[in-house]
Amino acid sequence: MIKKLALSLLMFFFLNQTLFAKEKPTLIFYCGITMVKPIKEMAKIIEEKYNCEIKISQGGSKDLYDSLKFSKKGDLYLPGSDSYRLNNLKDGYLLDGVYIGYNQAAIFVAKNNPKNIKNLDDFLNTQNSSVLCDPNSGSIGRMTKKIFLKYKDEEFLNKAYDNAVEIGTDSRNLNKALIDKRADISINWRATAFWPENYQSIDIIQIDEKYAPKKKLVLNLLSFSQNKQIARAFMDFAKSEEGREIMKKYGFL
């Protein structure tokens, strides 16, 4: 009798736990790779406060938008540039947006700049092995294209990409190519140069702001979110002083 009672209590506890787990809200957060580190830190805080789970889908900004547009599932979207919001508002999937900081592109070189790289003209130097991001994939690829066009013209853009030894899909690919010494030079989001896994291997060269303007980072609420209350709480936290301090810690300004 005691054994049966104990078994019944155990089953009751297990069923309650299972039902609780099923009821636990799960948010899907589409996040550009460059911003993953601060967003993961914020996600842990929100998960504890609201007893929820936040799944982060990371990748190139355009790929992520195409994914959410196709699936029509998810709660939040943070691309590497506000242009992804401005250009896609017409689709109706992006609702409220909050500004949480900005990023800026820079020239990335190996630590101590052994090739003595100075400016954008060095992307045409055949003695330099360059890696560039696909303009049709990540936000840094789109920004790289804009930088080259502003700096010179389409001919310069085409020559720079033709001279590249590798075309990456996002900021992580670009940094790995430099760290692995497959490339000497790249253009990437400056914040990533200060990450623990990168700063010992990479230096940056600033690009004039008239060619590489500061890009706003805007966190977007998705129209098909099933957890809008928690999603908005995440947005409020991200734009708060505490949220911005987390962004600053990872090199975002």
mmCIF file with all atom_site columns, all heavy atoms in Angstrom, residues 193-209:
data_model
loop_
_atom_site.group_PDB
_atom_site.id
_atom_site.type_symbol
_atom_site.label_atom_id
_atom_site.label_alt_id
_atom_site.label_comp_id
_atom_site.label_asym_id
_atom_site.label_entity_id
_atom_site.label_seq_id
_atom_site.pdbx_PDB_ins_code
_atom_site.Cartn_x
_atom_site.Cartn_y
_atom_site.Cartn_z
_atom_site.occupancy
_atom_site.B_iso_or_equiv
_atom_site.pdbx_formal_charge
_atom_site.auth_seq_id
_atom_site.auth_comp_id
_atom_site.auth_asym_id
_atom_site.auth_atom_id
_atom_site.pdbx_PDB_model_num
ATOM 1   N N   . ALA A 1 193 ? 36.024 42.868 -33.096 1.00 0.00 ? 193 ALA A N   1
ATOM 2   C CA  . ALA A 1 193 ? 37.484 42.858 -32.902 1.00 0.00 ? 193 ALA A CA  1
ATOM 3   C C   . ALA A 1 193 ? 37.853 42.823 -31.428 1.00 0.00 ? 193 ALA A C   1
ATOM 4   O O   . ALA A 1 193 ? 38.972 42.440 -31.070 1.00 0.00 ? 193 ALA A O   1
ATOM 5   C CB  . ALA A 1 193 ? 38.115 44.083 -33.564 1.00 0.00 ? 193 ALA A CB  1
ATOM 6   N N   . PHE A 1 194 ? 36.920 43.210 -30.543 1.00 0.00 ? 194 PHE A N   1
ATOM 7   C CA  . PHE A 1 194 ? 37.220 43.307 -29.115 1.00 0.00 ? 194 PHE A CA  1
ATOM 8   C C   . PHE A 1 194 ? 36.752 42.093 -28.328 1.00 0.00 ? 194 PHE A C   1
ATOM 9   O O   . PHE A 1 194 ? 36.905 42.043 -27.115 1.00 0.00 ? 194 PHE A O   1
ATOM 10  C CB  . PHE A 1 194 ? 36.582 44.580 -28.554 1.00 0.00 ? 194 PHE A CB  1
ATOM 11  C CG  . PHE A 1 194 ? 37.062 45.833 -29.226 1.00 0.00 ? 194 PHE A CG  1
ATOM 12  C CD1 . PHE A 1 194 ? 36.333 46.407 -30.262 1.00 0.00 ? 194 PHE A CD1 1
ATOM 13  C CD2 . PHE A 1 194 ? 38.261 46.425 -28.869 1.00 0.00 ? 194 PHE A CD2 1
ATOM 14  C CE1 . PHE A 1 194 ? 36.776 47.547 -30.909 1.00 0.00 ? 194 PHE A CE1 1
ATOM 15  C CE2 . PHE A 1 194 ? 38.718 47.568 -29.501 1.00 0.00 ? 194 PHE A CE2 1
ATOM 16  C CZ  . PHE A 1 194 ? 37.976 48.131 -30.528 1.00 0.00 ? 194 PHE A CZ  1
ATOM 17  N N   . TRP A 1 195 ? 36.202 41.104 -29.019 1.00 0.00 ? 195 TRP A N   1
ATOM 18  C CA  . TRP A 1 195 ? 35.764 39.898 -28.330 1.00 0.00 ? 195 TRP A CA  1
ATOM 19  C C   . TRP A 1 195 ? 36.962 39.082 -27.862 1.00 0.00 ? 195 TRP A C   1
ATOM 20  O O   . TRP A 1 195 ? 38.025 39.114 -28.497 1.00 0.00 ? 195 TRP A O   1
ATOM 21  C CB  . TRP A 1 195 ? 34.882 39.055 -29.234 1.00 0.00 ? 195 TRP A CB  1
ATOM 22  C CG  . TRP A 1 195 ? 33.573 39.707 -29.562 1.00 0.00 ? 195 TRP A CG  1
ATOM 23  C CD1 . TRP A 1 195 ? 33.104 40.891 -29.075 1.00 0.00 ? 195 TRP A CD1 1
ATOM 24  C CD2 . TRP A 1 195 ? 32.570 39.219 -30.451 1.00 0.00 ? 195 TRP A CD2 1
ATOM 25  N NE1 . TRP A 1 195 ? 31.871 41.170 -29.609 1.00 0.00 ? 195 TRP A NE1 1
ATOM 26  C CE2 . TRP A 1 195 ? 31.509 40.171 -30.447 1.00 0.00 ? 195 TRP A CE2 1
ATOM 27  C CE3 . TRP A 1 195 ? 32.454 38.080 -31.245 1.00 0.00 ? 195 TRP A CE3 1
ATOM 28  C CZ2 . TRP A 1 195 ? 30.359 39.996 -31.211 1.00 0.00 ? 195 TRP A CZ2 1
ATOM 29  C CZ3 . TRP A 1 195 ? 31.306 37.908 -31.996 1.00 0.00 ? 195 TRP A CZ3 1
ATOM 30  C CH2 . TRP A 1 195 ? 30.276 38.854 -31.979 1.00 0.00 ? 195 TRP A CH2 1
ATOM 31  N N   . PRO A 1 196 ? 36.835 38.343 -26.773 1.00 0.00 ? 196 PRO A N   1
ATOM 32  C CA  . PRO A 1 196 ? 37.966 37.591 -26.196 1.00 0.00 ? 196 PRO A CA  1
ATOM 33  C C   . PRO A 1 196 ? 38.660 36.671 -27.191 1.00 0.00 ? 196 PRO A C   1
ATOM 34  O O   . PRO A 1 196 ? 39.886 36.541 -27.165 1.00 0.00 ? 196 PRO A O   1
ATOM 35  C CB  . PRO A 1 196 ? 37.315 36.780 -25.069 1.00 0.00 ? 196 PRO A CB  1
ATOM 36  C CG  . PRO A 1 196 ? 36.123 37.581 -24.679 1.00 0.00 ? 196 PRO A CG  1
ATOM 37  C CD  . PRO A 1 196 ? 35.618 38.209 -25.937 1.00 0.00 ? 196 PRO A CD  1
ATOM 38  N N   . GLU A 1 197 ? 37.899 36.037 -28.071 1.00 0.00 ? 197 GLU A N   1
ATOM 39  C CA  . GLU A 1 197 ? 38.504 35.089 -29.007 1.00 0.00 ? 197 GLU A CA  1
ATOM 40  C C   . GLU A 1 197 ? 39.179 35.774 -30.195 1.00 0.00 ? 197 GLU A C   1
ATOM 41  O O   . GLU A 1 197 ? 39.855 35.119 -30.996 1.00 0.00 ? 197 GLU A O   1
ATOM 42  C CB  . GLU A 1 197 ? 37.463 34.096 -29.534 1.00 0.00 ? 197 GLU A CB  1
ATOM 43  C CG  . GLU A 1 197 ? 36.349 34.696 -30.364 1.00 0.00 ? 197 GLU A CG  1
ATOM 44  C CD  . GLU A 1 197 ? 35.131 35.067 -29.550 1.00 0.00 ? 197 GLU A CD  1
ATOM 45  O OE1 . GLU A 1 197 ? 35.292 35.496 -28.389 1.00 0.00 ? 197 GLU A OE1 1
ATOM 46  O OE2 . GLU A 1 197 ? 34.009 34.931 -30.072 1.00 0.00 ? 197 GLU A OE2 1
ATOM 47  N N   . ASN A 1 198 ? 39.012 37.111 -30.310 1.00 0.00 ? 198 ASN A N   1
ATOM 48  C CA  . ASN A 1 198 ? 39.532 37.819 -31.481 1.00 0.00 ? 198 ASN A CA  1
ATOM 49  C C   . ASN A 1 198 ? 40.623 38.845 -31.182 1.00 0.00 ? 198 ASN A C   1
ATOM 50  O O   . ASN A 1 198 ? 41.511 39.067 -32.002 1.00 0.00 ? 198 ASN A O   1
ATOM 51  C CB  . ASN A 1 198 ? 38.385 38.536 -32.208 1.00 0.00 ? 198 ASN A CB  1
ATOM 52  C CG  . ASN A 1 198 ? 37.349 37.582 -32.759 1.00 0.00 ? 198 ASN A CG  1
ATOM 53  O OD1 . ASN A 1 198 ? 37.652 36.443 -33.086 1.00 0.00 ? 198 ASN A OD1 1
ATOM 54  N ND2 . ASN A 1 198 ? 36.111 38.042 -32.875 1.00 0.00 ? 198 ASN A ND2 1
ATOM 55  N N   . TYR A 1 199 ? 40.545 39.504 -30.020 1.00 0.00 ? 199 TYR A N   1
ATOM 56  C CA  . TYR A 1 199 ? 41.371 40.704 -29.836 1.00 0.00 ? 199 TYR A CA  1
ATOM 57  C C   . TYR A 1 199 ? 42.868 40.421 -29.813 1.00 0.00 ? 199 TYR A C   1
ATOM 58  O O   . TYR A 1 199 ? 43.681 41.305 -30.108 1.00 0.00 ? 199 TYR A O   1
ATOM 59  C CB  . TYR A 1 199 ? 40.944 41.469 -28.578 1.00 0.00 ? 199 TYR A CB  1
ATOM 60  C CG  . TYR A 1 199 ? 41.443 40.896 -27.273 1.00 0.00 ? 199 TYR A CG  1
ATOM 61  C CD1 . TYR A 1 199 ? 42.641 41.327 -26.729 1.00 0.00 ? 199 TYR A CD1 1
ATOM 62  C CD2 . TYR A 1 199 ? 40.704 39.935 -26.585 1.00 0.00 ? 199 TYR A CD2 1
ATOM 63  C CE1 . TYR A 1 199 ? 43.103 40.812 -25.526 1.00 0.00 ? 199 TYR A CE1 1
ATOM 64  C CE2 . TYR A 1 199 ? 41.154 39.415 -25.396 1.00 0.00 ? 199 TYR A CE2 1
ATOM 65  C CZ  . TYR A 1 199 ? 42.349 39.850 -24.866 1.00 0.00 ? 199 TYR A CZ  1
ATOM 66  O OH  . TYR A 1 199 ? 42.804 39.319 -23.685 1.00 0.00 ? 199 TYR A OH  1
ATOM 67  N N   . GLN A 1 200 ? 43.275 39.193 -29.491 1.00 0.00 ? 200 GLN A N   1
ATOM 68  C CA  . GLN A 1 200 ? 44.704 38.873 -29.472 1.00 0.00 ? 200 GLN A CA  1
ATOM 69  C C   . GLN A 1 200 ? 45.264 38.615 -30.867 1.00 0.00 ? 200 GLN A C   1
ATOM 70  O O   . GLN A 1 200 ? 46.473 38.578 -31.054 1.00 0.00 ? 200 GLN A O   1
ATOM 71  C CB  . GLN A 1 200 ? 44.958 37.661 -28.584 1.00 0.00 ? 200 GLN A CB  1
ATOM 72  C CG  . GLN A 1 200 ? 44.709 37.936 -27.106 1.00 0.00 ? 200 GLN A CG  1
ATOM 73  C CD  . GLN A 1 200 ? 45.038 36.747 -26.226 1.00 0.00 ? 200 GLN A CD  1
ATOM 74  O OE1 . GLN A 1 200 ? 44.962 35.598 -26.645 1.00 0.00 ? 200 GLN A OE1 1
ATOM 75  N NE2 . GLN A 1 200 ? 45.401 37.018 -24.982 1.00 0.00 ? 200 GLN A NE2 1
ATOM 76  N N   . SER A 1 201 ? 44.379 38.457 -31.847 1.00 0.00 ? 201 SER A N   1
ATOM 77  C CA  . SER A 1 201 ? 44.821 38.125 -33.209 1.00 0.00 ? 201 SER A CA  1
ATOM 78  C C   . SER A 1 201 ? 44.513 39.210 -34.230 1.00 0.00 ? 201 SER A C   1
ATOM 79  O O   . SER A 1 201 ? 45.027 39.162 -35.346 1.00 0.00 ? 201 SER A O   1
ATOM 80  C CB  . SER A 1 201 ? 44.149 36.821 -33.676 1.00 0.00 ? 201 SER A CB  1
ATOM 81  O OG  . SER A 1 201 ? 44.400 35.765 -32.787 1.00 0.00 ? 201 SER A OG  1
ATOM 82  N N   . ILE A 1 202 ? 43.692 40.189 -33.854 1.00 0.00 ? 202 ILE A N   1
ATOM 83  C CA  . ILE A 1 202 ? 43.181 41.153 -34.830 1.00 0.00 ? 202 ILE A CA  1
ATOM 84  C C   . ILE A 1 202 ? 43.372 42.585 -34.358 1.00 0.00 ? 202 ILE A C   1
ATOM 85  O O   . ILE A 1 202 ? 43.198 42.897 -33.185 1.00 0.00 ? 202 ILE A O   1
ATOM 86  C CB  . ILE A 1 202 ? 41.671 40.884 -35.089 1.00 0.00 ? 202 ILE A CB  1
ATOM 87  C CG1 . ILE A 1 202 ? 41.491 39.552 -35.825 1.00 0.00 ? 202 ILE A CG1 1
ATOM 88  C CG2 . ILE A 1 202 ? 41.032 42.021 -35.868 1.00 0.00 ? 202 ILE A CG2 1
ATOM 89  C CD1 . ILE A 1 202 ? 40.048 39.112 -35.954 1.00 0.00 ? 202 ILE A CD1 1
ATOM 90  N N   . ASP A 1 203 ? 43.740 43.456 -35.290 1.00 0.00 ? 203 ASP A N   1
ATOM 91  C CA  . ASP A 1 203 ? 43.746 44.903 -35.073 1.00 0.00 ? 203 ASP A CA  1
ATOM 92  C C   . ASP A 1 203 ? 42.787 45.535 -36.075 1.00 0.00 ? 203 ASP A C   1
ATOM 93  O O   . ASP A 1 203 ? 42.454 44.922 -37.104 1.00 0.00 ? 203 ASP A O   1
ATOM 94  C CB  . ASP A 1 203 ? 45.144 45.490 -35.267 1.00 0.00 ? 203 ASP A CB  1
ATOM 95  C CG  . ASP A 1 203 ? 46.014 45.333 -34.019 1.00 0.00 ? 203 ASP A CG  1
ATOM 96  O OD1 . ASP A 1 203 ? 45.442 45.209 -32.922 1.00 0.00 ? 203 ASP A OD1 1
ATOM 97  O OD2 . ASP A 1 203 ? 47.253 45.335 -34.152 1.00 0.00 ? 203 ASP A OD2 1
ATOM 98  N N   . ILE A 1 204 ? 42.352 46.753 -35.789 1.00 0.00 ? 204 ILE A N   1
ATOM 99  C CA  . ILE A 1 204 ? 41.456 47.435 -36.721 1.00 0.00 ? 204 ILE A CA  1
ATOM 100 C C   . ILE A 1 204 ? 42.048 48.760 -37.177 1.00 0.00 ? 204 ILE A C   1
ATOM 101 O O   . ILE A 1 204 ? 42.844 49.385 -36.478 1.00 0.00 ? 204 ILE A O   1
ATOM 102 C CB  . ILE A 1 204 ? 40.059 47.679 -36.106 1.00 0.00 ? 204 ILE A CB  1
ATOM 103 C CG1 . ILE A 1 204 ? 40.140 48.617 -34.898 1.00 0.00 ? 204 ILE A CG1 1
ATOM 104 C CG2 . ILE A 1 204 ? 39.391 46.373 -35.733 1.00 0.00 ? 204 ILE A CG2 1
ATOM 105 C CD1 . ILE A 1 204 ? 38.767 49.064 -34.400 1.00 0.00 ? 204 ILE A CD1 1
ATOM 106 N N   . ILE A 1 205 ? 41.652 49.145 -38.374 1.00 0.00 ? 205 ILE A N   1
ATOM 107 C CA  . ILE A 1 205 ? 41.995 50.450 -38.938 1.00 0.00 ? 205 ILE A CA  1
ATOM 108 C C   . ILE A 1 205 ? 40.669 51.149 -39.215 1.00 0.00 ? 205 ILE A C   1
ATOM 109 O O   . ILE A 1 205 ? 39.813 50.621 -39.936 1.00 0.00 ? 205 ILE A O   1
ATOM 110 C CB  . ILE A 1 205 ? 42.802 50.301 -40.247 1.00 0.00 ? 205 ILE A CB  1
ATOM 111 C CG1 . ILE A 1 205 ? 44.117 49.556 -39.975 1.00 0.00 ? 205 ILE A CG1 1
ATOM 112 C CG2 . ILE A 1 205 ? 43.057 51.671 -40.874 1.00 0.00 ? 205 ILE A CG2 1
ATOM 113 C CD1 . ILE A 1 205 ? 44.848 49.126 -41.225 1.00 0.00 ? 205 ILE A CD1 1
ATOM 114 N N   . GLN A 1 206 ? 40.486 52.323 -38.635 1.00 0.00 ? 206 GLN A N   1
ATOM 115 C CA  . GLN A 1 206 ? 39.219 53.038 -38.792 1.00 0.00 ? 206 GLN A CA  1
ATOM 116 C C   . GLN A 1 206 ? 39.025 53.466 -40.249 1.00 0.00 ? 206 GLN A C   1
ATOM 117 O O   . GLN A 1 206 ? 39.985 53.815 -40.949 1.00 0.00 ? 206 GLN A O   1
ATOM 118 C CB  . GLN A 1 206 ? 39.189 54.275 -37.889 1.00 0.00 ? 206 GLN A CB  1
ATOM 119 C CG  . GLN A 1 206 ? 39.246 53.961 -36.403 1.00 0.00 ? 206 GLN A CG  1
ATOM 120 C CD  . GLN A 1 206 ? 37.959 53.340 -35.880 1.00 0.00 ? 206 GLN A CD  1
ATOM 121 O OE1 . GLN A 1 206 ? 36.959 53.236 -36.584 1.00 0.00 ? 206 GLN A OE1 1
ATOM 122 N NE2 . GLN A 1 206 ? 37.979 52.903 -34.630 1.00 0.00 ? 206 GLN A NE2 1
ATOM 123 N N   . ILE A 1 207 ? 37.778 53.442 -40.684 1.00 0.00 ? 207 ILE A N   1
ATOM 124 C CA  . ILE A 1 207 ? 37.398 53.953 -42.003 1.00 0.00 ? 207 ILE A CA  1
ATOM 125 C C   . ILE A 1 207 ? 36.670 55.277 -41.777 1.00 0.00 ? 207 ILE A C   1
ATOM 126 O O   . ILE A 1 207 ? 35.840 55.396 -40.870 1.00 0.00 ? 207 ILE A O   1
ATOM 127 C CB  . ILE A 1 207 ? 36.464 52.967 -42.737 1.00 0.00 ? 207 ILE A CB  1
ATOM 128 C CG1 . ILE A 1 207 ? 37.141 51.598 -42.892 1.00 0.00 ? 207 ILE A CG1 1
ATOM 129 C CG2 . ILE A 1 207 ? 36.082 53.508 -44.115 1.00 0.00 ? 207 ILE A CG2 1
ATOM 130 C CD1 . ILE A 1 207 ? 36.216 50.531 -43.456 1.00 0.00 ? 207 ILE A CD1 1
ATOM 131 N N   . ASP A 1 208 ? 36.994 56.262 -42.578 1.00 0.00 ? 208 ASP A N   1
ATOM 132 C CA  . ASP A 1 208 ? 36.332 57.573 -42.462 1.00 0.00 ? 208 ASP A CA  1
ATOM 133 C C   . ASP A 1 208 ? 34.819 57.390 -42.436 1.00 0.00 ? 208 ASP A C   1
ATOM 134 O O   . ASP A 1 208 ? 34.250 56.640 -43.229 1.00 0.00 ? 208 ASP A O   1
ATOM 135 C CB  . ASP A 1 208 ? 36.736 58.444 -43.664 1.00 0.00 ? 208 ASP A CB  1
ATOM 136 C CG  . ASP A 1 208 ? 36.367 59.905 -43.463 1.00 0.00 ? 208 ASP A CG  1
ATOM 137 O OD1 . ASP A 1 208 ? 35.200 60.181 -43.108 1.00 0.00 ? 208 ASP A OD1 1
ATOM 138 O OD2 . ASP A 1 208 ? 37.237 60.776 -43.664 1.00 0.00 ? 208 ASP A OD2 1
ATOM 139 N N   . GLU A 1 209 ? 34.175 58.110 -41.521 1.00 0.00 ? 209 GLU A N   1
ATOM 140 C CA  . GLU A 1 209 ? 32.737 57.938 -41.326 1.00 0.00 ? 209 GLU A CA  1
ATOM 141 C C   . GLU A 1 209 ? 31.913 58.329 -42.557 1.00 0.00 ? 209 GLU A C   1
ATOM 142 O O   . GLU A 1 209 ? 30.777 57.891 -42.709 1.00 0.00 ? 209 GLU A O   1
ATOM 143 C CB  . GLU A 1 209 ? 32.268 58.744 -40.108 1.00 0.00 ? 209 GLU A CB  1
ATOM 144 C CG  . GLU A 1 209 ? 30.914 58.312 -39.595 1.00 0.00 ? 209 GLU A CG  1
ATOM 145 C CD  . GLU A 1 209 ? 30.542 58.944 -38.266 1.00 0.00 ? 209 GLU A CD  1
ATOM 146 O OE1 . GLU A 1 209 ? 31.453 59.273 -37.487 1.00 0.00 ? 209 GLU A OE1 1
ATOM 147 O OE2 . GLU A 1 209 ? 29.338 59.109 -38.020 1.00 0.00 ? 209 GLU A OE2 1
#
